[in-house]
């Protein structure tokens, strides 16, 4: 049964060019979106840029540019990278767009009219890097950069009012915060009294933001502005029909460092606006180098573009999806990448194509042979394909994309080893061409099925495989490969990466 699937990524700060952290979540969202499209669901995949706030203003100042010119200059670096990585989003939000700004103002006004906003004098430590006020203990921890002492009048959102409701909601909706240990983390956080949220910044200190409709000397706190993108773009306050269709989102994909904003700030804002909460907020872990997070400020970030230029976007997508257990941290090394590439892509997947097309060219004039199997056998092999897909889908629906890939790759491995076992070249020598044909048909069909199932992960290379087999547009049923089809010529799908021994 088809349904709708609305998936989001965080919207990224435009203070520098994109890095692997941004690329990872965006590829993940793209793979999920593509799987759902394959399954016949209607999909809305939203990503974009977070362009307001002090960080962006400072980055622009450093470059001697106006914040808007700075954002306009950097935005294409993100969209160009997404194009290069094969990302098929349905909409791309930039928070400086009018369609977003006016909705943020409408939301502020609504929260204000509900009596959920008050004015107060506040004195405290402010971390520019985190874009929020921090406590004395946090300041003393020394973990925060760019800390300033601030005393100012501001507007506060009564987040504390919704604390009890939020706890109840989380406890009764186990799918809301995933994985489970992140849910426990948030429930632990909510055991302490919840403060209210400062949602304004005086223009005298920060001018780069959305003006507060009921306080013209203030701009909106960047997180209040940014989170609203998840509803402003699907039409809240502008296109009720569209909004009804898509909201609530099926999943907000985020990194674990922005859990509190998504699982405490955002739901309380939605409560105040009288809107349902997203079905799931899924927090993934970090890509690490050794023990440390890959990050721009530490200078240990591998530019995903470099890997893409060298090894192709599909290999990078495959590695990132296959090697991170969703929810846990993962170690990024070039050795791991090369190992994964050589074993799964060159030796297993690429090699299956080589063998199938090589043997068919040699013994069957480059055509897909007849498959002489009994009804019973067709039935059982069909079952294998069907079960495989069902299993992969269960994994995908429970955010175990690495398991889904493993399942699909098991078909590739089975096909390779059955070729070795049944040795069609020997069967030919023995004069049993029909049996060799059947064996090769089965291997080619397994290759076709795995290409269809891996298409969301590696859209480019799997398209080549389907093209070679003359099977574009085929689906996940066993036996869709047409006997008699002439294979197209092809180059090595994933040429082995030779590593020099030290
Ligand atoms: N603008 C906010 C999000 C607003 S959403 C309404 C923001 N932007 S960000 O540019 O800092 O992007 C952060 C995202 O990148 C987070 O989800 C973060 O977890 C992710 N990553 C940054 N470095 C990362 C790794 N080394 N590994 C994986 N993801 C990490 O926060």
């Amino acid at each position: 049964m088809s349904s709708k699937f609305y998936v989001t990524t965080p919207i990224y700060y435009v203070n520098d060019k994109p890095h692997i952290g941004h690329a990872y979540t965006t590829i993940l969202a793209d793979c999920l979106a593509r799987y759902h499209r394959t399954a016949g669901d209607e999909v809305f995949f939203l990503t974009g840029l977070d362009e307001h706030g002090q960080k962006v203003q400072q980055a622009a100042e450093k470059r001697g540019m106006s914040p808007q010119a700075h954002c306009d200059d950097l935005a294409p670096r993100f969209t160009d990278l997404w194009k290069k990585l094969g990302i098929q989003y349905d909409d791309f939000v930039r928070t400086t767009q009018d369609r977003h700004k006016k909705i943020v103002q409408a939301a502020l006004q609504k929260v204000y009219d509900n009596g959920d906003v008050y004015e107060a004098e506040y004195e405290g430590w402010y971390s520019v890097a985190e874009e929020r006020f921090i406590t004395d203990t946090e300041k003393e921890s020394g973990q925060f950069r760019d800390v300033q002492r601030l005393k100012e009048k501001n507007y506060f959102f009564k987040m504390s009012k919704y604390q009890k409701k939020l706890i109840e909601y989380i406890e009764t909706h186990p799918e809301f915060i995933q994985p489970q240990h992140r849910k426990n983390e948030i429930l632990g956080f909510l055991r302490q009294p919840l403060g209210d949220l400062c949602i304004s910044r005086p223009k005298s200190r920060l001018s780069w933001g959305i003006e507060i409709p009921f306080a013209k000397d203030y701009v909106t706190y960047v997180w209040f502005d940014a989170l609203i993108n998840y509803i402003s773009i699907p039409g809240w306050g502008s296109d009720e029909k569209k909004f009804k269709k898509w909201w609530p989102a099926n999943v907000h994909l985020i990194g674990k460092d922005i859990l509190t904003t998504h699982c405490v700030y955002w739901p309380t804002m939605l409560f105040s606006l009288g809107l349902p909460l997203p079905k799931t907020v899924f927090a993934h872990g970090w890509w690490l180098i050794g023990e440390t997070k890959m990050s721009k400020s530490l200078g240990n970030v591998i530019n995903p573009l470099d890997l893409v230029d060298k090894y192709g976007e599909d290999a990078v997508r495959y590695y990132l999806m296959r090697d991170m257990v969703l929810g846990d941290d993962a170690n990024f090394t070039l050795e791991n990448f090369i190992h994964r590439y050589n074993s799964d892509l060159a030796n297993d997947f690429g090699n299956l194509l080589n063998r199938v097309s090589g043997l068919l060219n040699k013994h069957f004039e480059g055509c897909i042979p007849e498959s002489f199997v009994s009804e019973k056998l067709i039935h059982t092999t069909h079952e294998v394909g069907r079960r495989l897909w069902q299993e992969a889908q269960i994994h995908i629906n429970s955010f175990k994309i690495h398991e889904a890939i493993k399942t699909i790759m098991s078909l590739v491995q089975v096909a390779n080893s059955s070729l070795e076992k049944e040795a069609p070249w020997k069967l030919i020598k023995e004069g049993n061409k029909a049996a060799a044909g059947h064996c090769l048909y089965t291997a080619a069909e397994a290759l076709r099925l795995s290409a269809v199932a891996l298409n969301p992960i590696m859209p480019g290379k799997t398209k080549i495989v389907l093209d070679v087999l003359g099977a574009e547009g085929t689906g996940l049923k066993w036996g869709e490969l047409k006997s008699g089809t002439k294979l197209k010529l092809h180059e090595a799908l994933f040429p082995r990466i030779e590593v020099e021994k030290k």
Side-chain angles (χ1 to χ4, degrees):
M1 207 180 61
S2 76
S3 45
K4 68 100 193 168
F5 184 70
Y6 173 23
V7 56
T8 66
T9 71
I11 50 174
Y12 307 114
Y13 288 127
V14 205
N15 40 10
D16 207 341
K17 49 185 197 287
H19 61 71
I20 195 114
H22 306 140
Y24 174 69
T25 325
T26 312
I27 293 173
L28 175 62
D30 186 62
C31 291
L32 293 179
R34 284 172 185 264
Y35 269 114
H36 281 269
R37 286 189 202 110
T38 307
D41 293 344
E42 256 193 288
V43 171
F44 186 56
F45 165 19
L46 175 64
T47 186
L49 299 175
D50 192 353
E51 301 193 346
H52 291 124
Q54 201 151 343
K55 270 194 215 186
V56 175
Q57 182 170 305
Q58 282 179 344
E61 271 162 17
K62 254 196 205 149
R63 300 174 72 205
M65 291 170 103
S66 77
Q68 190 65 63
H70 160 84
C71 293
D72 292 346
D73 181 51
L74 286 187
R77 303 215 192 167
F78 286 83
T79 46
D80 287 351
L81 177 59
W82 301 158
K83 204 163 166 198
K84 217 164 176 166
L85 286 168
I87 307 295
Q88 266 179 0
Y89 48 75
D90 296 293
D91 206 335
F92 190 87
V93 58
R94 295 182 55 188
T95 52
T96 49
Q97 290 163 337
D98 267 346
R99 60 173 181 160
H100 172 73
K101 288 199 284 193
K102 60 177 198 249
I103 299 303
V104 171
Q105 291 184 322
L108 281 163
Q109 192 64 50
K110 183 147 195 210
V111 170
Y112 183 76
D113 293 344
N114 286 346
D116 281 349
V117 174
Y118 63 91
E119 222 182 308
E121 181 95 44
Y122 186 85
E123 180 171 5
W125 298 107
Y126 188 79
S127 157
V128 178
E130 291 274 312
E131 295 271 20
R132 68 174 176 95
F133 283 99
I134 56 171
T135 62
D136 287 344
T137 334
E138 282 177 323
K139 158 93 173 39
E140 277 153 28
S141 76
Q143 284 173 359
F144 292 83
R145 286 171 296 126
D146 304 330
V147 179
Q148 305 169 352
R149 187 77 184 167
L150 285 181
K151 181 178 177 186
E152 56 190 31
K153 200 179 83 182
N154 266 311
Y155 289 84
F156 289 81
F157 166 56
K158 289 186 190 164
M159 196 155 71
S160 55
K161 177 173 153 187
Y162 297 104
Q163 178 167 12
K164 201 164 154 257
K165 186 168 173 176
L166 180 58
I167 295 174
E168 272 167 23
Y169 188 91
I170 297 173
E171 282 173 343
T172 52
H173 294 78
E175 74 294 348
F176 176 49
I177 305 175
Q178 295 188 51
Q180 167 96 7
H181 61 279
R182 298 288 169 218
K183 171 184 129 181
N184 298 338
E185 197 179 311
I186 289 293
L187 283 173
F189 176 79
L190 288 171
R191 250 177 248 125
Q192 307 292 325
L194 186 61
D196 289 333
L197 182 67
C198 178
I199 54 164
S200 66
R201 299 290 182 265
K203 280 187 185 169
S204 53
R205 172 159 77 78
L206 172 73
S207 56
W208 186 234
I210 301 173
E211 188 177 279
I212 299 214
F214 47 83
K216 306 283 182 209
D217 294 335
Y218 289 83
V219 295
T220 313
Y221 170 46
V222 68
W223 270 103
F224 193 98
D225 160 356
L227 288 161
I228 297 281
N229 93 87
Y230 299 137
I231 57 170
S232 65
I233 302 309
W236 183 77
S238 67
D239 184 343
E240 275 314 296
K241 202 166 147 229
K242 183 175 176 193
F243 186 63
K244 248 196 150 141
K245 174 169 176 185
W246 296 112
W247 191 259
N250 293 71
V251 59
H252 291 325
L253 297 170
I254 59 164
K256 63 180 182 180
D257 49 332
I258 52 176
L259 192 69
T260 316
T261 47
H262 281 80
C263 297
V264 180
Y265 297 8
W266 182 224
T268 53
M269 285 163 66
L270 289 166
F271 283 150
S272 177
L273 291 169
L275 292 173
L277 305 193
K279 289 192 188 125
T280 297
V281 175
F282 193 101
H284 63 71
W286 285 339
W287 282 98
L288 306 174
I289 290 200
E291 300 282 295
T292 25
K293 178 188 176 197
M294 292 175 81
S295 98
K296 222 172 38 218
S297 40
L298 289 176
N300 64 353
V301 175
I302 295 193
N303 185 346
L305 265 181
D306 296 345
L307 283 180
V308 172
D309 287 340
K310 219 160 162 192
Y311 305 108
E313 74 280 11
D314 283 318
V316 173
R317 288 172 66 110
Y318 184 88
Y319 169 69
L320 294 178
M321 293 303 109
R322 177 62 186 81
D323 268 37
M324 180 176 265
V325 174
L326 250 182
D328 297 349
D329 291 341
N331 232 296
F332 187 103
T333 66
L334 195 58
E335 289 81 54
N336 287 350
F337 171 81
I338 293 176
H339 178 74
R340 185 58 82 188
Y341 176 105
N342 278 342
S343 72
D344 292 21
L345 299 178
N347 287 3
D348 289 350
F349 192 58
N351 198 22
L352 182 58
L353 172 66
N354 266 350
R355 288 166 124 183
V356 165
S357 69
L359 288 163
L360 289 179
N361 283 330
K362 192 158 174 204
H363 303 292
F364 289 83
E365 281 122 31
C367 290
I368 307 281
E370 292 289 327
S371 170
F372 298 101
V373 282
S374 67
E375 275 302 305
K376 192 167 161 258
L377 250 175
I378 289 183
H379 190 71
T380 43
T381 39
H382 177 174
E383 273 296 297
V384 174
R386 203 174 58 88
R387 246 185 294 132
L388 176 92
W389 178 242
Q390 272 176 357
E391 205 183 303
Q393 276 206 315
I394 291 169
H395 290 317
I396 285 156
N397 290 333
S398 52
F399 302 102
K400 291 191 180 126
I401 208 155
H402 68 287
E403 288 288 352
I405 298 175
K406 236 165 106 184
T407 306
I408 299 162
M409 289 305 282
S410 68
L411 180 65
V412 174
Q413 282 143 11
V414 167
N416 270 323
S417 60
S418 66
L419 272 181
E420 268 152 42
K421 240 186 2 231
E422 294 176 33
W425 51 92
K426 265 199 215 147
L427 292 170
I428 301 254
K429 263 197 203 142
E430 291 158 7
N432 198 349
K433 199 165 174 187
H438 169 60
C439 168
L440 281 167
Y441 181 90
T442 310
E445 182 56 348
L447 172 65
R448 183 193 69 80
L449 260 187
S450 53
V452 175
L454 285 173
N455 180 266
I457 310 285
M458 299 188 288
K461 295 288 184 180
T462 54
K463 193 168 171 290
I464 295 177
V465 173
L466 294 174
D467 191 47
V468 170
L469 295 174
E472 309 90 335
T474 56
L476 284 152
K477 280 206 200 90
W478 185 272
E480 286 185 60
L481 196 58
K482 289 254 170 322
S483 303
T485 312
K486 179 108 178 112
L487 298 193
K488 294 205 184 85
L489 293 177
H490 66 91
E491 290 177 356
L493 204 56
F494 291 104
R496 233 189 117 74
I497 305 174
E498 298 304 336
V499 203
E500 277 173 46
K501 294 234 159 57
K502 280 184 202 141

